[in-house]
Amino acid sequence: MKIQFTETVLRDANQSLIATRMSYNEFAPILEKLNKVGYYSLECWGGATFDSCLRYLNEDPWERLRKIRAKCPDTKLQMLLRGQNLLGYRHYPDDVVRMFVKKSVENGIDIIRIFDALNDLRNIEVAVDETLKNGAMASGAICFTKSPIHNLEMYVGIAKKMEQMGVSSICIKDMAGIISPRETFELVKALKESVSLPIIVHTHSTTGLGLMSLLKAAEAGADVIDTAISCFSGGTSQPPTETLVYALKEQGFDIDLDLNSLKEINDFFKPLRNKALKNGLLNPVVLTTDTDALNYQVPGGMLSNLVAQLTAQGKLDKLDEVLRETPRVREDLGYPPLVTPMSQMVGVQAATNIITGERYKTISKEVKAYLHGEYGKAPGEVNKELQKKVLGDTEPITCRYADLLEPIFEKTKKELGDLAKSDEDVLSYIAFPAQAEKFFKNRDKKGDSPSSGTFSYSIERVD
Ligand code: CO
């Protein structure tokens, strides 16, 4: 049986371990090798990479993609996209989503992994359609979560609908690293039996289940697994590439990757990992196993956000109460998967409920928008009383929120004038206005070198 690998070192491993601070120049020398080694794909763009390029690295994300493409002509380049949210936190109108997808493919992307935080497929439809129109592969990703309403049947149902939409593959996306080996085996098997598309498994090592789960994924017939080269693996990152290649080859799987080439890649990344450990960018704690997510059912990134938020308010002693409140808020919101932006939304509301001493005394504007239906359809029933408290006599919307949004691309392009040199610039601006504007102005001043050496963590993303 054949199994293939997606290498995540340039995106998810980079994002999960070192807050996406690896610059193009740091990894450029290994790209030709990564291109030749035989990966199914290289996950190298999307997620937080775009934001980080503009905000911290003074890099044009589009130029980064073109440069990777030039050095990797033979391996599929992959990105992560949150459907109608693209790479940000709000819904964009369809003209922007279509242009973003079109330009991503034009600049070098082969596979776009597309998901919606609520698994509301209306929010990935347009991105999937445009991806396929431009001749790229659209991988439909199902956010895996655990709740009283999420079960095998529900996931199979989502996968079947995705297949009808025309996606090229189905990915089980376990952003929190909480899928167990048994659940992985059963889910992969069920999906293989119900859809005729390649099945991909994405998980994290956070809770220590990752390696076992990927082994079970392979045994159940998964076509592709996501792994990270060993020195950037483990902890909040993916399970190690070489270890799985070794173990699965020994079990008789047919694998294109060979350990000698992988060693060269690992040897290249080791000094980068060591540098990050030395300058503090990589905290050794995130490399260890953290089983709290198994008790609290909250992903690691969300837990550290809560700790940071409570510490800032001098209320860290309330952590246990907040962690008990989190599943109650999640229930009130109809059991959304705890992935960005839902993880932040649920966490902040739970903390607010405890700190103010009264549940929903203060309700964030995001939770209000959510209850109004602006993020899509909740997986389960939302708390009707809470919804009424927020909306009064107004009815929640039942249509796809983006149907209510006016096109903005051409208008924004006009407004930007000379500041934007290309349609790609306009998209950068729409996605991250303040960061893009600063970047454009810096770019116009010749010979400016990127700021480096300092960093600060922004809100941790869970994807
Ligand atoms: Co991930």
Side-chain angles (χ1 to χ4, degrees):
M1 205 160 24
K2 190 170 172 90
I3 189 153
Q4 291 186 284
F5 287 70
T6 289
E7 173 61 54
T8 67
V9 65
L10 301 180
R11 205 287 297 178
D12 205 345
N14 178 10
Q15 180 174 327
S16 302
L17 295 182
I18 56 168
T20 332
R21 299 299 204 280
M22 207 188 292
S23 69
Y24 173 79
N25 287 336
E26 283 178 304
F27 62 71
I30 199 65
L31 287 173
E32 273 118 349
K33 188 86 212 173
L34 287 169
N35 174 53
K36 286 289 176 206
V37 75
Y39 290 119
Y40 169 76
S41 64
L42 269 179
E43 194 198 31
C44 62
W45 212 62
T49 61
F50 199 96
D51 188 2
S52 180
C53 275
L54 292 169
R55 195 186 296 258
Y56 304 110
L57 300 170
N58 200 27
E59 271 185 51
D60 181 344
W62 302 96
E63 192 188 332
R64 172 186 283 207
L65 173 56
R66 289 191 292 273
K67 289 200 274 195
I68 298 174
R69 176 80 287 172
K71 288 188 182 245
C72 299
D74 309 305
T75 297
K76 290 200 224 34
L77 301 184
Q78 183 175 316
M79 73 174 288
L80 181 68
L81 191 85
R82 199 181 319 105
Q84 209 71 26
N85 292 163
L86 299 175
L87 309 172
Y89 307 101
R90 62 189 178 95
H91 282 240
Y92 296 100
D94 290 342
D95 68 324
V96 172
V97 172
R98 289 198 184 272
M99 185 62 99
F100 199 95
V101 166
K102 181 169 172 260
K103 288 291 169 188
S104 300
V105 178
E106 255 178 47
N107 282 278
I109 287 293
D110 300 292
I111 304 173
I112 308 190
R113 180 179 288 172
I114 306 169
F115 74 103
D116 173 66
L118 299 175
N119 290 320
D120 181 343
L121 299 188
R122 297 174 303 171
N123 292 334
I124 71 166
E125 237 166 44
V126 172
V128 168
D129 180 65
E130 191 65 26
T131 304
L132 298 171
K133 246 187 211 159
N134 282 277
M137 293 165 80
S139 185
I142 304 170
C143 291
F144 178 85
T145 191
K146 290 172 76 95
S147 84
I149 60 156
H150 285 87
N151 53 37
L152 209 57
E153 223 183 315
M154 186 191 238
Y155 292 124
V156 168
I158 297 171
K160 281 183 173 165
K161 280 193 200 131
M162 283 178 168
E163 187 176 38
Q164 283 161 13
M165 282 170 73
V167 300
S168 325
S169 60
I170 303 281
C171 170
I172 301 164
K173 180 178 167 56
D174 171 30
M175 52 281 162
I178 54 169
I179 195 168
S180 74
R182 183 185 59 78
E183 285 165 336
T184 310
F185 187 88
E186 287 174 358
L187 184 50
V188 171
K189 205 158 172 293
L191 292 177
K192 289 299 281 185
E193 283 163 6
S194 13
V195 296
S196 41
L197 291 172
I199 304 299
I200 300 162
V201 180
H202 174 90
T203 185
H204 288 251
S205 294
T206 324
T207 64
L209 293 171
L211 262 174
M212 293 183 280
S213 296
L214 289 188
L215 177 68
K216 284 300 193 188
E219 288 175 1
D223 298 273
V224 182
I225 51 176
D226 283 12
T227 58
I229 199 75
S230 58
C231 68
F232 270 94
S233 75
T236 51
S237 176
Q238 271 68 53
T241 309
E242 301 96 300
T243 312
L244 277 145
V245 169
Y246 185 94
L248 292 174
K249 262 192 184 170
E250 202 235 9
Q251 263 187 251
F253 283 89
D254 174 15
I255 295 171
D256 292 334
L257 301 168
D258 86 276
L259 285 170
N260 290 328
S261 306
L262 292 175
K263 178 169 165 33
E264 287 176 46
I265 292 168
N266 195 42
D267 286 346
F268 172 84
F269 280 104
K270 261 187 202 165
L272 290 180
R273 191 264 324 260
N274 293 343
K275 190 179 92 181
L277 276 170
K278 211 170 155 202
N279 69 18
L281 187 53
L282 173 55
N283 182 341
V285 171
V286 303
L287 290 170
T288 61
T289 302
D290 184 347
T291 53
D292 283 347
L294 299 176
N295 299 328
Y296 301 126
Q297 302 290 322
V298 305
M302 183 174 161
L303 196 61
S304 41
N305 278 343
L306 282 176
V307 170
Q309 193 195 343
L310 292 171
T311 306
Q313 302 183 43
K315 304 268 186 200
L316 194 58
D317 56 314
K318 301 274 186 204
L319 182 62
D320 272 342
E321 270 178 83
V322 172
L323 286 170
R324 275 196 299 273
E325 173 67 2
T326 304
R328 293 169 64 200
V329 170
R330 189 167 171 239
E331 183 181 353
D332 289 336
L333 299 186
Y335 299 108
L338 295 175
V339 64
T340 302
M342 297 314 304
S343 46
Q344 287 86 348
M345 211 188 287
V346 171
V348 169
Q349 189 61 54
T352 310
N353 285 357
I354 295 303
I355 289 169
T356 59
E358 185 188 329
R359 303 191 78 217
Y360 304 111
K361 184 177 176 190
T362 309
I363 302 175
S364 74
K365 80 174 193 301
E366 287 80 14
V367 169
K368 285 180 181 165
Y370 175 88
L371 290 167
H372 187 238
E374 293 176 22
Y375 285 81
K377 195 179 176 314
E381 290 289 313
V382 301
N383 181 329
K384 290 284 179 247
E385 226 172 283
L386 175 63
Q387 194 174 36
K388 196 153 174 34
K389 179 174 171 172
V390 168
L391 299 183
D393 291 330
T394 323
E395 285 294 309
I397 59 165
T398 51
C399 68
R400 192 184 65 116
Y401 182 59
D403 285 334
L404 306 174
L405 303 174
E406 296 289 332
I408 55 166
F409 185 83
E410 290 303 330
K411 193 176 124 237
T412 313
K413 189 174 172 175
K414 236 180 241 149
E415 280 167 15
L416 280 173
D418 287 347
L419 201 54
K421 307 267 184 273
S422 62
D423 286 350
E424 284 83 348
D425 277 355
V426 179
L427 292 166
S428 299
Y429 180 83
I430 291 172
F432 300 102
Q435 288 71 36
E437 195 176 340
K438 194 173 132 230
F439 173 79
F440 298 154
K441 286 183 174 156
N442 247 326
R443 182 176 59 182
D444 293 343
K445 284 187 253 156
K446 262 223 149 102
D448 222 349
S449 62
S451 58
S452 63
T454 54
F455 63 86
S456 62
Y457 289 95
S458 59
I459 289 290
E460 268 189 76
R461 293 172 53 138
V462 180
D463 53 17

Short mmCIF file of all heavy atoms in Angstrom, two decimals, residues 234-278:
data_model
loop_
_atom_site.label_atom_id
_atom_site.label_comp_id
_atom_site.label_asym_id
_atom_site.label_seq_id
_atom_site.Cartn_x
_atom_site.Cartn_y
_atom_site.Cartn_z
N GLY A 234 7.06 17.55 16.69
CA GLY A 234 6.74 17.30 18.09
C GLY A 234 6.06 18.48 18.76
O GLY A 234 5.97 19.57 18.20
N GLY A 235 5.58 18.25 19.96
CA GLY A 235 4.91 19.32 20.71
C GLY A 235 3.74 19.88 19.92
O GLY A 235 2.94 19.13 19.35
N THR A 236 3.67 21.20 19.84
CA THR A 236 2.54 21.81 19.15
C THR A 236 2.63 21.67 17.62
O THR A 236 1.72 22.04 16.91
CB THR A 236 2.43 23.30 19.50
OG1 THR A 236 3.71 23.89 19.29
CG2 THR A 236 2.01 23.49 20.95
N SER A 237 3.76 21.15 17.13
CA SER A 237 3.94 20.93 15.69
C SER A 237 3.41 19.55 15.29
O SER A 237 2.71 18.89 16.05
CB SER A 237 5.43 21.07 15.35
OG SER A 237 5.68 20.78 14.00
N GLN A 238 3.75 19.12 14.07
CA GLN A 238 3.31 17.80 13.60
C GLN A 238 4.28 16.70 14.09
O GLN A 238 5.40 16.98 14.49
CB GLN A 238 3.30 17.77 12.06
CG GLN A 238 2.01 18.21 11.42
CD GLN A 238 1.75 19.69 11.62
OE1 GLN A 238 2.59 20.52 11.32
NE2 GLN A 238 0.59 20.01 12.16
N PRO A 239 3.83 15.43 14.03
CA PRO A 239 4.73 14.31 14.29
C PRO A 239 5.86 14.29 13.25
O PRO A 239 5.72 14.84 12.16
CB PRO A 239 3.82 13.09 14.14
CG PRO A 239 2.44 13.60 14.38
CD PRO A 239 2.42 15.00 13.84
N PRO A 240 6.99 13.66 13.60
CA PRO A 240 8.19 13.71 12.75
C PRO A 240 8.10 12.89 11.46
O PRO A 240 7.67 11.74 11.47
CB PRO A 240 9.28 13.14 13.66
CG PRO A 240 8.58 12.36 14.70
CD PRO A 240 7.23 12.97 14.88
N THR A 241 8.55 13.50 10.39
CA THR A 241 8.54 12.85 9.08
C THR A 241 9.36 11.56 9.07
O THR A 241 8.86 10.48 8.71
CB THR A 241 9.12 13.81 8.01
OG1 THR A 241 8.45 15.06 8.11
CG2 THR A 241 8.96 13.24 6.61
N GLU A 242 10.64 11.67 9.49
CA GLU A 242 11.54 10.52 9.35
C GLU A 242 11.05 9.31 10.16
O GLU A 242 11.16 8.17 9.72
CB GLU A 242 12.96 10.88 9.82
CG GLU A 242 13.61 12.02 9.07
CD GLU A 242 13.45 13.33 9.80
OE1 GLU A 242 12.29 13.75 10.03
OE2 GLU A 242 14.46 13.94 10.16
N THR A 243 10.53 9.58 11.37
CA THR A 243 10.08 8.50 12.23
C THR A 243 8.95 7.72 11.56
O THR A 243 8.93 6.48 11.58
CB THR A 243 9.59 9.07 13.58
OG1 THR A 243 10.58 9.98 14.05
CG2 THR A 243 9.38 7.98 14.60
N LEU A 244 8.03 8.44 10.95
CA LEU A 244 6.91 7.78 10.29
C LEU A 244 7.35 7.07 9.03
O LEU A 244 6.87 5.98 8.71
CB LEU A 244 5.77 8.77 10.03
CG LEU A 244 4.92 8.93 11.30
CD1 LEU A 244 4.39 10.32 11.47
CD2 LEU A 244 3.81 7.88 11.34
N VAL A 245 8.29 7.68 8.30
CA VAL A 245 8.82 7.02 7.11
C VAL A 245 9.46 5.69 7.53
O VAL A 245 9.21 4.64 6.94
CB VAL A 245 9.85 7.91 6.38
CG1 VAL A 245 10.61 7.12 5.31
CG2 VAL A 245 9.16 9.11 5.74
N TYR A 246 10.26 5.74 8.57
CA TYR A 246 10.96 4.55 9.06
C TYR A 246 9.96 3.46 9.48
O TYR A 246 10.03 2.32 9.03
CB TYR A 246 11.84 4.95 10.26
CG TYR A 246 12.71 3.82 10.79
CD1 TYR A 246 14.01 3.66 10.34
CD2 TYR A 246 12.22 2.93 11.75
CE1 TYR A 246 14.81 2.62 10.82
CE2 TYR A 246 13.00 1.90 12.23
CZ TYR A 246 14.30 1.75 11.77
OH TYR A 246 15.07 0.73 12.25
N ALA A 247 9.02 3.85 10.34
CA ALA A 247 8.09 2.87 10.89
C ALA A 247 7.16 2.29 9.81
O ALA A 247 6.90 1.09 9.78
CB ALA A 247 7.26 3.50 12.00
N LEU A 248 6.67 3.16 8.94
CA LEU A 248 5.71 2.69 7.93
C LEU A 248 6.39 1.87 6.85
O LEU A 248 5.82 0.89 6.34
CB LEU A 248 4.92 3.87 7.34
CG LEU A 248 3.97 4.56 8.32
CD1 LEU A 248 3.34 5.80 7.70
CD2 LEU A 248 2.87 3.60 8.79
N LYS A 249 7.62 2.24 6.49
CA LYS A 249 8.36 1.43 5.52
C LYS A 249 8.57 0.03 6.07
O LYS A 249 8.38 -0.97 5.39
CB LYS A 249 9.74 2.06 5.23
CG LYS A 249 9.74 2.89 3.97
CD LYS A 249 11.15 3.26 3.53
CE LYS A 249 11.04 4.17 2.32
NZ LYS A 249 12.30 4.78 1.94
N GLU A 250 8.91 0.01 7.35
CA GLU A 250 9.17 -1.27 8.00
C GLU A 250 7.90 -2.13 8.05
O GLU A 250 7.97 -3.35 8.05
CB GLU A 250 9.71 -1.00 9.41
CG GLU A 250 10.50 -2.14 9.99
CD GLU A 250 9.95 -2.57 11.34
OE1 GLU A 250 8.87 -2.09 11.73
OE2 GLU A 250 10.61 -3.38 11.97
N GLN A 251 6.76 -1.45 8.05
CA GLN A 251 5.49 -2.18 8.04
C GLN A 251 5.04 -2.57 6.63
O GLN A 251 3.97 -3.14 6.46
CB GLN A 251 4.38 -1.33 8.68
CG GLN A 251 4.16 -1.69 10.13
CD GLN A 251 2.97 -0.98 10.73
OE1 GLN A 251 3.14 -0.11 11.56
NE2 GLN A 251 1.77 -1.32 10.33
N GLY A 252 5.87 -2.23 5.66
CA GLY A 252 5.58 -2.66 4.29
C GLY A 252 4.92 -1.63 3.40
O GLY A 252 4.53 -1.94 2.28
N PHE A 253 4.77 -0.40 3.89
CA PHE A 253 4.17 0.64 3.04
C PHE A 253 5.16 1.08 1.96
O PHE A 253 6.37 1.10 2.17
CB PHE A 253 3.77 1.86 3.88
CG PHE A 253 2.50 1.66 4.66
CD1 PHE A 253 2.55 1.11 5.95
CD2 PHE A 253 1.27 1.98 4.12
CE1 PHE A 253 1.38 0.91 6.67
CE2 PHE A 253 0.10 1.79 4.83
CZ PHE A 253 0.15 1.24 6.11
N ASP A 254 4.59 1.43 0.82
CA ASP A 254 5.38 1.93 -0.30
C ASP A 254 5.48 3.45 -0.15
O ASP A 254 4.48 4.16 -0.17
CB ASP A 254 4.63 1.54 -1.59
CG ASP A 254 5.29 2.12 -2.83
OD1 ASP A 254 6.44 2.57 -2.72
OD2 ASP A 254 4.62 2.13 -3.88
N ILE A 255 6.72 3.94 0.06
CA ILE A 255 6.93 5.37 0.36
C ILE A 255 8.04 5.92 -0.54
O ILE A 255 9.10 5.30 -0.68
CB ILE A 255 7.32 5.54 1.85
CG1 ILE A 255 6.15 5.13 2.74
CG2 ILE A 255 7.74 6.97 2.15
CD1 ILE A 255 6.46 5.06 4.21
N ASP A 256 7.77 7.09 -1.15
CA ASP A 256 8.75 7.67 -2.07
C ASP A 256 9.96 8.28 -1.37
O ASP A 256 11.00 8.47 -1.97
CB ASP A 256 8.07 8.78 -2.90
CG ASP A 256 7.04 8.21 -3.86
OD1 ASP A 256 7.19 7.04 -4.24
OD2 ASP A 256 6.08 8.94 -4.21
N LEU A 257 9.81 8.64 -0.10
CA LEU A 257 10.88 9.37 0.59
C LEU A 257 11.97 8.41 1.07
O LEU A 257 11.67 7.31 1.51
CB LEU A 257 10.30 10.10 1.79
CG LEU A 257 9.20 11.12 1.48
CD1 LEU A 257 8.50 11.56 2.76
CD2 LEU A 257 9.78 12.32 0.76
N ASP A 258 13.24 8.86 0.99
CA ASP A 258 14.27 8.01 1.57
C ASP A 258 14.97 8.74 2.70
O ASP A 258 15.10 9.97 2.71
CB ASP A 258 15.23 7.49 0.50
CG ASP A 258 16.35 8.44 0.24
OD1 ASP A 258 16.15 9.38 -0.57
OD2 ASP A 258 17.42 8.29 0.86
N LEU A 259 15.38 7.97 3.69
CA LEU A 259 15.88 8.54 4.94
C LEU A 259 17.16 9.34 4.77
O LEU A 259 17.40 10.31 5.49
CB LEU A 259 16.06 7.44 5.99
CG LEU A 259 14.75 6.92 6.61
CD1 LEU A 259 15.00 5.67 7.44
CD2 LEU A 259 14.07 7.99 7.46
N ASN A 260 17.99 8.97 3.78
CA ASN A 260 19.23 9.73 3.59
C ASN A 260 18.96 11.16 3.15
O ASN A 260 19.58 12.10 3.64
CB ASN A 260 20.14 9.03 2.57
CG ASN A 260 20.70 7.74 3.14
OD1 ASN A 260 20.94 7.63 4.35
ND2 ASN A 260 20.89 6.74 2.28
N SER A 261 18.02 11.31 2.20
CA SER A 261 17.69 12.67 1.75
C SER A 261 17.04 13.46 2.87
O SER A 261 17.29 14.65 3.05
CB SER A 261 16.72 12.63 0.57
OG SER A 261 17.24 11.81 -0.44
N LEU A 262 16.20 12.77 3.64
CA LEU A 262 15.53 13.47 4.75
C LEU A 262 16.55 13.93 5.79
O LEU A 262 16.39 14.98 6.41
CB LEU A 262 14.47 12.56 5.39
CG LEU A 262 13.26 12.25 4.51
CD1 LEU A 262 12.33 11.25 5.21
CD2 LEU A 262 12.48 13.52 4.16
N LYS A 263 17.60 13.14 5.96
CA LYS A 263 18.63 13.54 6.93
C LYS A 263 19.30 14.85 6.50
O LYS A 263 19.56 15.72 7.32
CB LYS A 263 19.67 12.43 7.09
CG LYS A 263 20.77 12.84 8.06
CD LYS A 263 21.67 11.71 8.48
CE LYS A 263 22.96 12.21 9.15
NZ LYS A 263 22.88 13.43 9.93
N GLU A 264 19.54 14.97 5.20
CA GLU A 264 20.15 16.23 4.71
C GLU A 264 19.24 17.41 5.01
O GLU A 264 19.71 18.50 5.38
CB GLU A 264 20.38 16.17 3.20
CG GLU A 264 21.53 15.27 2.80
CD GLU A 264 21.66 15.17 1.27
OE1 GLU A 264 21.59 16.22 0.61
OE2 GLU A 264 21.78 14.04 0.76
N ILE A 265 17.94 17.20 4.83
CA ILE A 265 16.98 18.28 5.10
C ILE A 265 16.98 18.61 6.60
O ILE A 265 17.05 19.77 7.00
CB ILE A 265 15.57 17.89 4.62
CG1 ILE A 265 15.57 17.80 3.09
CG2 ILE A 265 14.52 18.89 5.10
CD1 ILE A 265 14.34 17.15 2.50
N ASN A 266 16.96 17.58 7.41
CA ASN A 266 16.97 17.81 8.85
C ASN A 266 18.25 18.51 9.30
O ASN A 266 18.21 19.43 10.12
CB ASN A 266 16.79 16.48 9.59
CG ASN A 266 16.42 16.68 11.04
OD1 ASN A 266 15.61 17.54 11.37
ND2 ASN A 266 17.05 15.91 11.91
N ASP A 267 19.39 18.10 8.72
CA ASP A 267 20.66 18.73 9.07
C ASP A 267 20.66 20.21 8.71
O ASP A 267 21.27 21.04 9.39
CB ASP A 267 21.83 18.03 8.36
CG ASP A 267 22.14 16.67 8.98
OD1 ASP A 267 21.64 16.42 10.09
OD2 ASP A 267 22.86 15.87 8.34
N PHE A 268 19.94 20.53 7.65
CA PHE A 268 19.85 21.94 7.26
C PHE A 268 19.06 22.74 8.29
O PHE A 268 19.43 23.85 8.67
CB PHE A 268 19.20 22.10 5.88
CG PHE A 268 18.91 23.54 5.54
CD1 PHE A 268 19.90 24.33 4.99
CD2 PHE A 268 17.67 24.11 5.85
CE1 PHE A 268 19.66 25.68 4.74
CE2 PHE A 268 17.43 25.45 5.60
CZ PHE A 268 18.42 26.24 5.03
N PHE A 269 17.93 22.18 8.74
CA PHE A 269 17.05 22.94 9.64
C PHE A 269 17.53 22.98 11.09
O PHE A 269 17.11 23.84 11.85
CB PHE A 269 15.61 22.38 9.58
CG PHE A 269 14.85 22.87 8.38
CD1 PHE A 269 14.63 22.03 7.29
CD2 PHE A 269 14.37 24.17 8.32
CE1 PHE A 269 13.93 22.49 6.17
CE2 PHE A 269 13.66 24.64 7.21
CZ PHE A 269 13.44 23.79 6.13
N LYS A 270 18.41 22.03 11.46
CA LYS A 270 18.85 21.99 12.87
C LYS A 270 19.43 23.31 13.38
O LYS A 270 19.04 23.77 14.46
CB LYS A 270 19.87 20.86 13.06
CG LYS A 270 19.27 19.60 13.64
CD LYS A 270 20.36 18.60 13.95
CE LYS A 270 19.76 17.19 14.02
NZ LYS A 270 20.80 16.17 13.97
N PRO A 271 20.37 23.92 12.64
CA PRO A 271 20.89 25.20 13.14
C PRO A 271 19.81 26.27 13.29
O PRO A 271 19.88 27.10 14.21
CB PRO A 271 21.91 25.62 12.06
CG PRO A 271 22.24 24.38 11.31
CD PRO A 271 21.03 23.49 11.40
N LEU A 272 18.79 26.25 12.43
CA LEU A 272 17.69 27.22 12.56
C LEU A 272 16.91 26.97 13.83
O LEU A 272 16.53 27.89 14.56
CB LEU A 272 16.75 27.13 11.35
CG LEU A 272 17.27 27.62 10.00
CD1 LEU A 272 16.20 27.46 8.93
CD2 LEU A 272 17.68 29.08 10.11
N ARG A 273 16.69 25.67 14.12
CA ARG A 273 16.00 25.32 15.36
C ARG A 273 16.84 25.74 16.58
O ARG A 273 16.33 26.34 17.53
CB ARG A 273 15.73 23.80 15.37
CG ARG A 273 14.81 23.30 16.46
CD ARG A 273 15.49 22.77 17.71
NE ARG A 273 16.73 22.05 17.48
CZ ARG A 273 16.85 20.72 17.47
NH1 ARG A 273 15.80 19.97 17.65
NH2 ARG A 273 18.03 20.15 17.28
N ASN A 274 18.13 25.47 16.50
CA ASN A 274 19.01 25.80 17.63
C ASN A 274 19.07 27.31 17.88
O ASN A 274 19.08 27.77 19.02
CB ASN A 274 20.42 25.25 17.40
CG ASN A 274 20.41 23.72 17.42
OD1 ASN A 274 19.46 23.11 17.91
ND2 ASN A 274 21.45 23.10 16.88
N LYS A 275 19.09 28.06 16.78
CA LYS A 275 19.11 29.52 16.90
C LYS A 275 17.83 30.00 17.60
O LYS A 275 17.87 30.85 18.49
CB LYS A 275 19.22 30.15 15.51
CG LYS A 275 19.49 31.65 15.53
CD LYS A 275 19.61 32.24 14.14
CE LYS A 275 18.26 32.75 13.65
NZ LYS A 275 18.27 33.33 12.32
N ALA A 276 16.70 29.41 17.18
CA ALA A 276 15.41 29.82 17.77
C ALA A 276 15.34 29.47 19.26
O ALA A 276 14.77 30.20 20.06
CB ALA A 276 14.25 29.18 17.02
N LEU A 277 15.96 28.34 19.63
CA LEU A 277 15.99 27.95 21.05
C LEU A 277 16.84 28.95 21.83
O LEU A 277 16.48 29.38 22.93
CB LEU A 277 16.60 26.55 21.20
CG LEU A 277 15.67 25.36 21.01
CD1 LEU A 277 16.49 24.08 20.95
CD2 LEU A 277 14.64 25.27 22.14
N LYS A 278 17.95 29.36 21.21
CA LYS A 278 18.89 30.23 21.89
C LYS A 278 18.32 31.64 22.08
O LYS A 278 18.47 32.23 23.14
CB LYS A 278 20.19 30.29 21.07
CG LYS A 278 21.41 30.49 21.91
CD LYS A 278 22.69 30.31 21.12
CE LYS A 278 23.79 31.10 21.81
NZ LYS A 278 24.87 31.41 20.90
#
